[in-house]
Each structure stands twice: as structure tokens, then as C-alpha cells.
Amino acid sequence: MDLILGTFAASFTGGLFPVINFETYLAVAASNLTFSALILALVAGIGQTTSKVVWYYAGHGTTALPFVRKKMACEKWQQRMEKWERRTQGRPAYAGGLLAVAALSGLPPLAILAVVYGTLKANLMLFVVITFVGRVLRSWMILEAAAFAWLRA
């Protein structure tokens, strides 16, 4: 049970503070898998997705802050947001595809995309599902690769 709670805590914290590398935690956890790698990957996916929803809501609520509103009045900022809106609005395959790539690979950084998607008020359910699936697959691949490496060592 400690491994499950530790995995959730590490993945949530790593998702909230991207400088904390939760993938390293997964690689070490794989050395002593008392649970299925898939179960740990699901727990890591829940932790990561939960933290990215925090970032999504941070982006969603930033428009109410006075200093952000002032920055958003800048023409350069408006041009950037219009560019993102043109790319994503009415193009769910593009928006979902970009999010899936970020959730699976980490590029572009998922925390930044979460803020952008929140600012654009993108569909939250779609954001959660794509992020969860991508992060579970990413975590599962890391756990399986690390477990294989630990067995060969």
C-alpha cells in the first residue's frame, strides 16, 4: 500500500511542480514491484492527471486576475492567443492530437498546455481523458522498461 500511496504522491507532486522528475521515482519503484506495473501506471496516471487539472484551472481562472488582464490587453499577447484559438477552435483532432503527444512524450510540456487549454476554456472532460490515457501509457512504458533493466542487472 505504501508503494501505491507513494506513487500517487510522487506523480501528483511531479505534475504540479515539473522540476520534480516523477519518472525517476517510477524507475526506482520498478525495482521492487509488489503490484502490477499496470496498476502503478494507473495510479501514476491519476496523480499526473489530477495535477494537470490544477494547471488547467489555473489557466481557466487567470483571466480574472488584474495583472493578467493587463498583460492580456497587450497586442502581442492577443495575437498569440488568437493564433492558439485559430489552431484549436473547431479542430478537435488537432487540439486532441497535440494534447495526446504532450501527455505521452512530455513535449510540448504538458503543464504549459494545461494552462493554455484552461485559458482557452477547452473541453475539460476531453482534456482529462486524453491526459489520463497518455500519462498511464507513459508511466507503464517507463515501469516496464525499468523493470526489464532491473531484471537484467
Side-chain angles (χ1 to χ4, degrees):
M1 191 60 159
D2 289 342
L3 187 59
I4 297 288
L5 294 174
T7 300
F8 177 80
S11 62
F12 178 79
T13 306
L16 207 53
F17 305 105
V19 295
I20 297 172
N21 190 334
F22 97 100
E23 289 88 351
T24 303
Y25 171 87
L26 289 177
V28 173
S31 70
N32 187 18
L33 281 179
T34 53
F35 292 94
S36 161
L38 182 56
I39 291 173
L40 278 186
L42 288 167
V43 171
I46 291 168
Q48 280 279 297
T49 303
T50 305
S51 65
K52 299 312 178 194
V53 169
V54 171
W55 282 110
Y56 175 94
Y57 277 116
H60 195 44
T62 55
T63 55
L65 300 172
F67 72 93
V68 173
R69 208 172 313 149
K70 183 179 177 183
K71 185 165 180 82
M72 289 175 71
C74 170
E75 186 177 329
K76 187 177 179 180
W77 175 272
Q78 289 177 351
Q79 288 173 348
R80 259 188 278 174
M81 288 307 290
E82 286 172 8
K83 182 179 174 182
W84 272 101
E85 285 177 348
R86 279 193 312 273
R87 286 181 176 172
T88 60
Q89 298 299 335
R91 296 173 69 190
Y94 178 84
L98 181 61
L99 184 60
V101 168
L104 192 57
S105 72
L107 293 172
L110 188 54
I112 293 172
L113 266 186
V115 172
V116 170
Y117 278 47
T119 303
L120 294 174
K121 295 174 179 46
N123 184 322
L124 177 62
M125 187 55 66
L126 187 64
F127 175 82
V128 167
V129 169
I130 292 172
T131 300
F132 177 72
V133 170
R135 286 296 154 151
V136 167
L137 290 173
R138 176 184 173 95
S139 299
W140 194 20
M141 287 187 296
I142 291 167
L143 284 163
E144 290 293 348
F148 180 74
W150 283 111
L151 286 175
R152 306 233 348 144

